[in-house]
Amino acid sequence: MQQAQAAIVLEAKITRAARPAMAHRRKFRPMTLKAPELLLPAGSLDKMRAAYDFGADAVYAGQPRYSLRARNNEFRLEQIAQGIAEAHARGKKFFVTSNLIAHNDKVRTYLRDIEPVIECKPDAFIMADPGLIMMVKEKWPETEVHLSVQANTTNWATVKFWQKAGVSRIILSRELSLDEVEKIRQECPDMELEVFVHGALCIAYSGRCLLSGYFNHRDPNQGTCTNACRWEYKTHDAAVDPNTGEALAQAMENGFDFAQARDEADQQFTSTCGGGQRHPKADQVYLIEEKGRPGELMPIMEDEHGTYIMNSKDLRAVEHVERLVKIGVDSLKIEGRTKSLYYVARTAQVYRRAIDDAVAGRPFNPHLITELEGLANRGYTGGLLERRPANDYQNYETGNSVLQRAHFVGEVRGYEDGMAEVETKNRFQVGDTLEIIHPQGNRQVRLETMFNLDGEPVQVAQGSPVRVRIPLEGPVEGALIARLL
């Protein structure tokens, strides 16, 4: 009996001694991360196919009448049906954007027009209007609805509200930081969350802009925004009439120097949001003059945060993909249904690699940032995902896109006997270094010779719609070509 008790005690000691080692093994066991969906824009069927070819799991497209891309939008009912069929044949997803804020006239026609789209069986509808969501869920309760970023979801309580309303995914507001996204994930573990990681940013609060409606009577929330924030403006000093409060023009010799004012603010003052002092120019009144409307001066206030009719930089959050993966975000979204085929392919490829690296535990590859510089952009910012001074979000110098690494110059339309037939998009010439962008991998080549379609040697390929033949090796069919700067 005593021997048996001793054996039990000895076994217990051995078990206790083994626990730290077992705990140690548990502590250092690799964490399994779930790969989020990579969601790309599709302004056309060709762009949809490129998105899938270069790594997207899903795309979103919308009917012009009911989405915020009424212009430059190829998708009518026939294209939506074809897109959904092709997506499902490839094991991919296709979401239909229907995220306008509806006026009464569109409420009247909405259910009638959306019914044939529902019959095409898209994987979800992206919606923003509470009334339209209610109507869809009442008539087609099984239809999956994703809440658009236009609904401005910024907290976990709102996520729970929409979850009770039958929404299956929330596209979170762009005004959230990474820490706020993580808090929502913790409070709402059973709701799908989607976050924008790349594309144009609106100067207004998630699309609540009135500029286009004011200047052109084209409502941004009806899909017809003219991007008035991107236009070139001049500023004029002004005085305020003490009796009427009206801004009166005063000539400015050289206009208002935004860069100088920004630098002065950086050196001497901090934003009042951070408890600092106000800029001395904070309460001045200025008059702006849009380039296309000479002589029409409009009053605008310059406060401690800057001038509001401004040109936002573009969002780039590829360096934050690892954090978003660890948070457990379900979908990473790229903006740009009106952007080029090259934009779709390049962003899909770069963010696919960033997601795969994060899930595999590989460190972030800074070369991915360099590759995104090959896209036309207005300067990049991490937006509100990371907290920075206000001037980091604005491009004060230009309203145009700039190219810093590469320029999209052509698409390969055919390949025979080592020669690729290229449909040119922009000018390039013999001697240029070209990047061949292909789903199987990218490579760089120096262009030594080039021929027209008659077989005659040429030195320069002008822009579209010229076609030329150039010697290429390896996988090239369907490739895109960029000229390195």
Side-chain angles (χ1 to χ4, degrees), residues 48-54 84-93:
M48 176 199 75
R49 294 168 189 135
Y52 292 145
D53 288 343
F54 283 88
I84 293 170
E86 288 188 26
H88 292 171
R90 299 178 66 156
K92 306 287 188 176
K93 292 185 177 181

Side-chain angles (χ1 to χ4, degrees), residues 37 39-45 47-49 52 57-63 73-89 91-97 117 120-126 144 146 169 337:
E37 167 190 276
L39 178 57
L40 267 289
S44 68
L45 288 170
K47 293 173 187 176
M48 176 199 75
R49 294 168 189 135
Y52 292 145
D57 301 300
V59 302
Y60 60 100
Q63 286 179 293
N73 187 345
E74 177 185 293
F75 281 94
R76 304 302 190 268
L77 181 61
E78 180 182 353
Q79 288 78 22
I80 289 175
Q82 183 177 346
I84 293 170
E86 288 188 26
H88 292 171
K92 306 287 188 176
K93 292 185 177 181
F94 190 107
F95 304 140
V96 172
T97 303
V117 182
C120 295
K121 299 188 184 304
D123 294 280
F125 281 87
I126 300 172
E144 188 165 329
H146 296 175
R169 178 187 293 186
R337 277 181 283 160

Side-chain angles (χ1 to χ4, degrees), residues 11-177:
E11 182 180 354
K13 288 180 179 180
I14 293 172
T15 302
R16 285 195 297 270
R19 282 175 183 165
M22 294 171 63
H24 178 79
R25 286 196 296 271
R26 285 197 299 269
K27 181 178 179 181
F28 291 99
R29 182 178 298 167
M31 181 173 61
T32 301
L33 296 175
K34 172 189 172 185
E37 167 190 276
L38 178 57
L39 178 57
L40 267 289
S44 68
L45 288 170
D46 283 342
K47 293 173 187 176
M48 176 199 75
R49 294 168 189 135
Y52 292 145
D53 288 343
F54 283 88
D57 301 300
V59 302
Y60 60 100
Q63 286 179 293
R65 179 170 168 81
Y66 298 109
S67 78
L68 298 193
R69 291 295 181 272
R71 299 176 296 136
N72 304 320
N73 187 345
E74 177 185 293
F75 281 94
R76 304 302 190 268
L77 181 61
E78 180 182 353
Q79 288 78 22
I80 289 175
Q82 183 177 346
I84 293 170
E86 288 188 26
H88 292 171
R90 299 178 66 156
K92 306 287 188 176
K93 292 185 177 181
F94 190 107
F95 304 140
V96 172
T97 303
S98 188
N99 62 341
L100 88 164
I101 305 299
H103 289 231
N104 288 331
D105 184 58
K106 290 186 177 178
V107 172
R108 177 179 58 83
T109 61
Y110 185 75
L111 293 183
R112 178 200 69 195
D113 292 346
I114 213 71
E115 184 167 10
V117 182
I118 288 179
E119 291 173 355
C120 295
K121 299 188 184 304
D123 294 280
F125 281 87
I126 300 172
M127 304 180 68
D129 191 295
L132 298 186
I133 292 174
M134 176 189 70
M135 292 166 65
V136 166
K137 294 301 286 185
E138 285 178 349
K139 187 167 184 179
W140 299 286
E142 299 305 314
T143 297
E144 188 165 329
V145 173
H146 296 175
L147 189 70
S148 169
V149 71
Q150 294 295 315
N152 307 125
T153 303
T154 58
N155 63 79
W156 58 264
T158 303
V159 172
K160 290 182 179 293
F161 167 85
W162 284 111
Q163 188 172 21
K164 290 182 178 180
V167 170
S168 58
R169 178 187 293 186
I170 303 294
I171 305 169
L172 294 174
S173 173
R174 292 184 179 95
E175 285 72 33
L176 294 177
S177 68

Side-chain angles (χ1 to χ4, degrees), residues 32-325:
T32 301
L33 296 175
K34 172 189 172 185
E37 167 190 276
L38 178 57
L39 178 57
L40 267 289
S44 68
L45 288 170
D46 283 342
K47 293 173 187 176
M48 176 199 75
R49 294 168 189 135
Y52 292 145
D53 288 343
F54 283 88
D57 301 300
V59 302
Y60 60 100
Q63 286 179 293
R65 179 170 168 81
Y66 298 109
S67 78
L68 298 193
R69 291 295 181 272
R71 299 176 296 136
N72 304 320
N73 187 345
E74 177 185 293
F75 281 94
R76 304 302 190 268
L77 181 61
E78 180 182 353
Q79 288 78 22
I80 289 175
Q82 183 177 346
I84 293 170
E86 288 188 26
H88 292 171
R90 299 178 66 156
K92 306 287 188 176
K93 292 185 177 181
F94 190 107
F95 304 140
V96 172
T97 303
S98 188
N99 62 341
L100 88 164
I101 305 299
H103 289 231
N104 288 331
D105 184 58
K106 290 186 177 178
V107 172
R108 177 179 58 83
T109 61
Y110 185 75
L111 293 183
R112 178 200 69 195
D113 292 346
I114 213 71
E115 184 167 10
V117 182
I118 288 179
E119 291 173 355
C120 295
K121 299 188 184 304
D123 294 280
F125 281 87
I126 300 172
M127 304 180 68
D129 191 295
L132 298 186
I133 292 174
M134 176 189 70
M135 292 166 65
V136 166
K137 294 301 286 185
E138 285 178 349
K139 187 167 184 179
W140 299 286
E142 299 305 314
T143 297
E144 188 165 329
V145 173
H146 296 175
L147 189 70
S148 169
V149 71
Q150 294 295 315
N152 307 125
T153 303
T154 58
N155 63 79
W156 58 264
T158 303
V159 172
K160 290 182 179 293
F161 167 85
W162 284 111
Q163 188 172 21
K164 290 182 178 180
V167 170
S168 58
R169 178 187 293 186
I170 303 294
I171 305 169
L172 294 174
S173 173
R174 292 184 179 95
E175 285 72 33
L176 294 177
S177 68
L178 289 165
D179 289 342
E180 289 175 307
V181 172
E182 185 169 21
K183 175 65 174 177
I184 292 173
R185 172 81 290 167
Q186 291 168 351
E187 296 291 335
C188 307
D190 54 347
M191 171 59 92
E192 290 188 20
L193 301 178
E194 183 174 305
V195 172
F196 274 94
V197 291
H198 196 92
L201 290 171
C202 182
I203 61 163
Y205 196 100
S206 284
R208 299 291 197 243
C209 179
L210 296 176
L211 287 181
S212 179
Y214 178 78
F215 286 135
N216 299 91
H217 306 290
R218 293 170 68 165
D219 188 346
N221 287 308
Q222 301 299 304
T224 55
C225 182
T226 56
N227 294 314
C229 59
R230 312 292 190 196
W231 297 346
E232 181 181 343
Y233 294 92
K234 295 179 180 178
T235 51
H236 300 269
D237 206 356
V240 177
D241 188 318
N243 298 317
T244 65
E246 181 180 0
L248 305 175
Q250 291 182 346
M252 290 186 75
E253 194 169 326
N254 297 310
F256 182 70
D257 190 336
F258 287 112
Q260 179 181 344
R262 177 192 61 201
D263 292 341
E264 291 174 1
D266 288 345
Q267 294 169 13
Q268 303 176 25
F269 297 88
T270 56
S271 168
T272 55
C273 292
Q277 296 173 279
R278 290 173 63 81
H279 191 278
K281 298 180 182 289
D283 296 316
Q284 280 187 233
V285 176
Y286 300 94
L287 294 169
I288 60 168
E289 179 185 22
E290 198 272 315
K291 183 178 182 180
R293 294 173 171 77
E296 295 183 26
L297 303 182
M298 298 165 284
I300 184 171
M301 287 294 295
E302 171 92 2
D303 73 3
E304 68 272 16
H305 304 298
T307 301
Y308 290 101
I309 300 182
M310 286 283 180
N311 179 36
S312 173
K313 292 181 179 180
D314 291 339
L315 173 65
R316 183 203 67 207
V318 66
E319 60 267 47
H320 300 303
V321 165
E322 181 181 5
R323 173 83 187 277
L324 290 165
V325 169

Side-chain angles (χ1 to χ4, degrees), residues 340-408:
S340 69
L341 185 71
Y342 173 60
Y343 173 92
V344 171
R346 177 73 86 176
T347 53
Q349 187 181 62
V350 168
Y351 281 87
R352 176 80 272 155
R353 284 157 55 189
I355 290 172
D356 292 346
D357 285 347
V359 172
R362 294 187 289 267
F364 174 68
N365 180 2
H367 184 66
L368 298 180
I369 292 177
T370 304
E371 292 195 16
L372 291 174
E373 293 293 346
L375 298 171
N377 64 85
R378 297 180 177 90
Y380 284 126
T381 175
L384 294 171
L385 289 171
E386 51 186 353
R387 296 306 187 191
R388 289 184 174 181
N391 62 61
D392 279 2
Y393 307 130
Q394 296 299 122
N395 180 349
Y396 291 88
E397 284 74 33
T398 175
N400 301 317
S401 294
V402 295
L403 295 163
Q404 300 182 27
R405 178 181 177 270
H407 196 193
F408 177 41

Side-chain angles (χ1 to χ4, degrees), residues 408-414 420-426 428 462-469 481:
F408 177 41
V409 295
E411 300 177 34
V412 175
R413 294 301 192 186
E421 183 176 321
V422 179
E423 179 181 317
T424 64
K425 301 298 181 181
N426 289 289
F428 63 99
Q462 301 295 344
S464 181
V466 173
R467 290 203 178 198
V468 295
R469 289 193 175 99
I481 300 176

